[in-house]
């Protein structure tokens, strides 16, 4: 029998351990964070205030931007503070809360584009029945389902991770409380917990990704039968933007969580996390919103109201 002392706090590393690069890194990620805030808040405001954007597609986009806004705010401010100081202390409870909030938002971020892909599929494949199929009740139900699914999966991950004993060391080789670096700090065998994460996570990722692929296959097959080149190009442009963000999010996320924590590399883990937790939420407003005339006009009205 061993008398282990329970860890009451963790130490985060931040974006960079090199003192000479800290200021540059902080300025860069501060700019990215400000860009993400401005972009997502602008999209939400434009969709709410412009009656022409009160459609299912922009309803989902508005919710996705709110998720992205919260998603980046869970990790970046604390990471910037930690980077400036060289390292940052986070309590055990704060670490649990950050991990739970992060994966609630990350999983919701995974589910919402699936609903958006279904919406685009119905708009292109069943245009005459689109209004009846994508009713306000169905849209709200899909958003609620995404949030509930994200919250339940995050609760499973938090319980699975923090049921492990932590008795030191307590330095998390990451800029936020993430599963692989935390599991490596456990003073017990974490292989069974890791296998549960891999099994459940693989099912969620594969099902969500398969639904997106099936929706886009139906969209592409419908596009190939379109006589109008302009309509074909407009719809294909929308689908390609969706697939770009989906592939970036899934590739970087799978690289992080669908492999053994014993093979975790702090540098690779940090870089992959930057892609799916910072860059993707920051680029979503640009990729999804600034690709058609109506949304550009809505943003122009938002920031240049006097001219109208």
């Amino acid at each position: 029998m061993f008398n282990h002392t329970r860890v009451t706090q963790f130490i985060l590393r931040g974006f960079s351990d090199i003192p000479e690069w800290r200021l540059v890194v902080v300025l860069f990620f501060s700019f990215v964070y400000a860009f993400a805030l401005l972009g997502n808040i602008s999209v939400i405001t434009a969709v709410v205030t412009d009656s022409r954007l009160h459609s299912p597609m922009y309803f989902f986009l508005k919710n996705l931007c709110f998720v992205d806004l919260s998603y980046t705010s869970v990790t970046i401010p604390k990471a910037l503070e930690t980077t400036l100081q060289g390292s940052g202390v986070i309590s055990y409870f704060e670490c649990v809360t950050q991990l739970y909030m992060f994966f609630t938002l990350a999983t919701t971020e995974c589910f919402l584009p699936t609903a958006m892909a279904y919406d685009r599929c119905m708009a292109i494949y069943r245009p005459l029945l689109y209004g009846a199929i994508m009713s306000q009740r169905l849209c709200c139900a899909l958003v609620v389902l995404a949030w509930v699914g994200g919250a339940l999966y995050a609760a499973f991950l938090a319980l699975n991770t923090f049921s492990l004993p932590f008795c030191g060391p307590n330095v998390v080789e990451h800029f936020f409380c993430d599963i692989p670096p935390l599991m490596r700090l456990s003073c017990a065998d974490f292989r069974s917990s890791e296998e549960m994460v891999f099994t459940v996570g693989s099912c969620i990722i594969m099902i969500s990704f398969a639904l997106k692929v099936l929706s886009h296959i139906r969209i592409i097959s419908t596009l190939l039968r379109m006589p109008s080149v302009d309509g074909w190009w407009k719809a294909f442009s929308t689908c390609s933007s969706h697939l770009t963000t989906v592939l970036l999010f899934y590739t970087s996320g799978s690289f992080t969580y669908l492999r053994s924590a014993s093979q975790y590399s702090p540098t690779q883990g940090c870089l992959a996390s930057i892609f799916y937790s910072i860059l993707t939420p920051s680029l979503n407003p640009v990729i999804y919103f600034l690709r058609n005339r109506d949304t550009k006009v809505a943003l122009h009205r938002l920031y240049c109201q006097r001219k109208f």
Side-chain angles (χ1 to χ4, degrees):
M1 297 293 292
F2 295 93
N3 185 18
H4 292 304
T5 303
R6 185 179 181 85
V7 169
T8 59
Q9 62 184 22
F10 294 98
I11 299 175
L12 300 176
R13 281 299 193 188
F15 289 118
S16 176
D17 289 332
I18 304 174
E20 292 79 7
W21 284 94
R22 284 176 189 167
L23 183 59
V24 176
V25 170
V26 167
L27 289 175
F28 173 76
F29 283 106
S30 296
F31 172 78
V32 173
Y33 183 51
F35 180 80
L37 291 179
L38 178 62
N40 286 293
I41 291 174
S42 298
V43 171
I44 293 171
T45 306
V47 172
V48 170
T49 57
D50 196 320
S51 59
R52 295 181 303 173
L53 302 182
H54 291 176
S55 64
M57 180 175 72
Y58 295 111
F59 173 75
F60 290 124
L61 181 59
K62 175 180 65 177
N63 282 275
L64 181 65
C65 286
F66 176 76
V67 171
D68 289 336
L69 188 68
S70 307
Y71 190 32
T72 53
S73 298
V74 168
T75 57
I76 296 182
K78 181 66 176 178
L80 292 175
E81 177 188 352
T82 301
T83 304
L84 276 176
Q85 296 175 351
S87 64
V89 175
I90 184 170
S91 70
Y92 186 92
F93 176 76
E94 288 174 336
C95 190
V96 174
T97 303
Q98 187 185 57
L99 186 143
Y100 174 76
M101 292 301 299
F102 177 82
F103 281 101
T104 296
L105 295 163
T107 311
T108 306
E109 170 96 3
C110 176
F111 290 154
L112 278 178
T114 305
M116 296 172 71
Y118 177 73
D119 169 70
R120 290 299 83 203
C121 179
M122 291 297 102
I124 295 173
Y125 180 61
R126 290 283 186 263
L128 298 179
L129 299 175
Y130 174 71
I133 296 174
M134 298 305 297
S135 62
Q136 185 177 5
R137 177 177 294 182
L138 177 61
C139 292
C140 292
L142 290 174
V143 171
V144 170
L145 185 62
W147 276 99
V148 172
L152 291 176
Y153 181 57
F156 158 73
L157 291 177
L159 288 172
N160 185 63
T161 302
F162 289 98
S163 62
L164 295 170
F166 296 95
C167 45
N170 65 340
V171 179
V172 181
E173 296 290 343
H174 211 342
F175 61 88
F176 69 95
C177 289
D178 202 4
I179 292 174
L182 282 171
M183 282 190 172
R184 286 167 59 90
L185 296 178
S186 173
C187 50
D189 188 358
F190 55 81
R191 282 178 296 182
S192 60
S193 298
E194 184 181 57
E195 290 172 358
M196 291 180 66
V197 171
F198 182 85
T199 303
V200 178
S202 297
C203 292
I204 290 177
I205 289 175
M206 293 305 296
I207 291 173
S208 179
F209 186 73
L211 291 174
K212 291 183 180 71
V213 170
L214 289 174
S215 296
H216 283 90
I217 288 174
R218 174 59 69 181
I219 290 171
I220 292 172
S221 64
T222 305
L223 291 177
L224 293 176
R225 297 193 297 268
M226 274 188 175
S228 172
V229 177
D230 291 338
W232 186 92
W233 177 251
K234 183 178 179 180
F236 182 78
S237 177
T238 302
C239 293
S240 63
S241 66
H242 289 196
L243 288 174
T244 301
T245 55
V246 165
L247 289 175
L248 179 62
F249 182 83
Y250 277 90
T251 302
S252 55
S254 299
F255 176 81
T256 303
Y257 299 108
L258 297 186
R259 63 175 186 163
S260 174
S262 59
Q263 301 175 352
Y264 174 78
S265 167
T267 303
Q268 293 178 356
C270 183
L271 289 175
S273 298
I274 287 172
F275 274 100
Y276 71 80
S277 67
I278 297 178
L279 294 184
T280 300
S282 302
L283 294 175
N284 274 343
V286 178
I287 294 175
Y288 281 107
F289 201 69
L290 296 179
R291 296 186 69 88
N292 63 68
R293 183 175 177 275
D294 290 341
T295 55
K296 292 178 182 178
V297 170
L299 283 179
H300 194 262
R301 287 185 175 185
L302 179 64
Y303 289 105
C304 308
Q305 292 181 358
R306 293 181 181 179
K307 293 184 179 181
F308 289 89

